[in-house]
Amino acid sequence: MVPGFLSLSLSRLGLWASGLVLVLGFFKLIHLLLRKQKLARAMDSFPGPPTHWLFGHTLEIQQTGSLDKVVSWAHQYPCAHPLWFGPFIGFLNIYEPDFAKAVYSRGDPKASDVYDFFLQWIGKGLLVLEGPKWFQHRKLLTPGFHYDVLKPYVSVFAESTRIMLDKWEEKAREDKCFDIFCDVGQMALDTLMKCTFGKGDSGLGHRDSSYYLAVSNLTLLMQQRLESFQYHNDFIYWLTPHGRRFLRACQVAHDHTDQVIRERKAALQDEKEREKIQNRRHLDFLDILLGARDEDGIKLSDMDLRSEVDTFMFEGHDTTTSGISWFLYCMALYPEHQQRCREEALEILGDRDAFQWDDLGKMTYLTMCIKESFRLYPPVPQVYRQLSKPVTFVDGRSLPAGSLISLHIYALHRNSAVWPDPEVFDPLRFSPENVSRRHPFAFMPFSAGPRNCIGQQFAMNEMKVVTALCLLRFEFSLDPSRLPIKIPQLILRSKNGIHLHLKPLGPGSGK
Ligand code: HEM
C-alpha cells in the first residue's frame, strides 16, 4: 500500500508534469504558428491550389496519381506554387528551369524538415550533411568515382546482370508476365556490394535480401511520414506502430551495414589482404573511408563511417533499380525504340560476347532512350532545400532566407513550356543539337549544382551495361491488364510492380 504522504506527492508530481507538458506544448504551438505565418507570408506572391487549414495539400498528394496532380497544378500556376505538408510546413514547389537554376546552382542546405526524417536510418552521411563537414566528405569520396575506378565495374555489372537474366530465363519459360522490379533491385544491390564494398562472391546472401526488403519498407514509411503532418514530431512518431516499424527496419539495415564494415576491417587485419589493397592502384569506396584521416591524422568516427556506408548503400541501389525498371517498361511500351537499341548493342558487340569500357561511349541511341526514360520517370522525383539567403527569381518575385523549396523534378520534366508534347517518348530530344538548344536546368534527374549526385557516372554506366544486356537476351512487352501505377516513395516506384512479358531471343538474335 502507498503511504498517504507519498501518494500526495506522487499526484502533485503528476500535476506538475502535466502542467509542464501543457506549457511546453503551448510554446511549441506558438512557435509553429509563427513559423507558418512567416512561411505563408513569404509565398504571398505565389498563387496556388486551395489549401486545407489542417491537412494542407496532403489529402491530394497522398492519393494515387499525385505526381500527375502536381503536373496539372503546374499548368495552372506556371513556374511555382505553395505546397503545404500539413498546417506548418510549406514549400515553394518549383518546376521551371530558371527557377530551378536560381536555387540549385547555389549550395543551399537541404530542408531539415524533410531530411531529418532520414537521420535515424542513414545518419549524417553525404546526402544529409551540411557545411564544411559535407565539403570534406565530398572531397574525400569523389576519387571513389574516378573513371579509372569505374572502368573495371563494367564486368561486375555484366556478371550481376547475367545472374538476373538466368533467373528470368526460368521465369519466362512459364510464358506469364512477372514483376521485374524486385529482381532488378536485388541485382542492383549485388553490383553495389561488389563494386563499392568489395564483396567477393556472387549472388546475394540472406542478409542482403533482408536489407533489400528493409529499404523498401523504409522508403515507404518515410514518404508516409512526410505526407502525414501528425507524424512530423519525432516523439509522437516513435510511439506509433509506423514509427516502431521504421525503427525495426532501421535495425535490419544497420545490422547489414555493420556486417559489411566488420568484414572489411577484419580483412585489413590480415597481412596479405592489406598488401593486396595497398597494391591496388585505385581504392574502392570502403577503402577510402577506412583509410581517411583529417589534417590532424584522426580517422573517421565509427558513426561517420556507418552513416556514409548506410547512405551509399541506399542511394547506390534504390535509384538505379527505379531507373532500370522504368526504362525496361518504356522499351516494352515502345517496341520500335527497343529494337533500335538492341541493334545498336549488337553492332557494338560484333563477334565479342562482353561489353568493354570503350563500348559505353558508343551506345548513343541507348543513352538517348535512357535519358528520355529519366525525363518521364525520374528515379528521384522531388528534392528539397532551405534557403540560406534570399533569392530573386527571373520574374522579379523573391523569397527570404529560411524559405523552403521543393524542386518537383517530375513536373519540371513534363513542363510543356520546355518540352513540346511532354507525354510523348522521343529519345531525339537528347540529340546533341536539341540538348544545346535547351536550358541546362530543364533536365535534372541527378539534381544539379554543388549538391548534385556524386554517383551519376556510376549510375549511367550501370544503366547502359545492364539495359543493353537485358535487350540482347529478351524482347520485352507489356501486360495491358497490369500497367504500372506511379507512386513517389523517395524514389519513383510502381504501386503494383512493373509487370512485363519476356520473350527469350536466340543467341546473336537481332530479331
Ligand atoms: C539512376 C540513378 C541515380 C539517380 C537518378 C540519382 C539521383 C540523385 C539526386 C536527384 C540527388 C540529389 C538528392 C537531393 O538533393 O536530395 C542525388 C544525390 C546523391 N546520390 Fe544519387 N542518384 C542515382 C544513383 C546514385 C548512385 C549509384 C550513388 C552511389 C553509388 C548515388 C549517391 C548519391 C549521394 C551520396 C548523393 C548525395 C550527394 C551530396 O549531397 O553531396 N546516387 N542522387
Side-chain angles (χ1 to χ4, degrees), residues 418-433:
V418 186
W419 306 96
D421 299 321
E423 301 297 327
V424 174
F425 185 90
D426 177 10
L428 290 178
R429 296 179 200 270
F430 292 95
S431 70
E433 313 80 72

Side-chain angles (χ1 to χ4, degrees), residues 150 153-154 156-158 160-161 184-192 195 315-321 324 357 360 363 366 370 455-469:
L150 299 181
Y153 293 168
V154 172
V156 183
F157 297 148
S160 299
T161 311
V184 173
Q186 306 249 0
M187 181 278 301
L189 181 59
D190 189 41
T191 46
L192 187 79
C195 295
E315 277 280 332
H317 91 279
D318 224 22
T319 46
T320 46
T321 302
I324 294 166
W357 173 258
L360 305 191
M363 298 175 168
L366 178 74
I370 291 174
Q456 178 166 346
Q457 209 47 53
F458 178 103
M460 279 310 288
N461 295 347
E462 179 174 351
M463 289 283 306
K464 289 184 201 176
V465 175
V466 175
T467 56
L469 290 172

Side-chain angles (χ1 to χ4, degrees), residues 110 115 126 134 138 315 319 383 385 445-446 451 453 458:
K110 304 283 172 86
Y115 290 82
L126 208 55
W134 166 77
R138 178 99 186 192
E315 277 280 332
T319 46
V383 289
R385 296 287 184 272
F446 295 102
R451 296 304 296 260
C453 175
F458 178 103

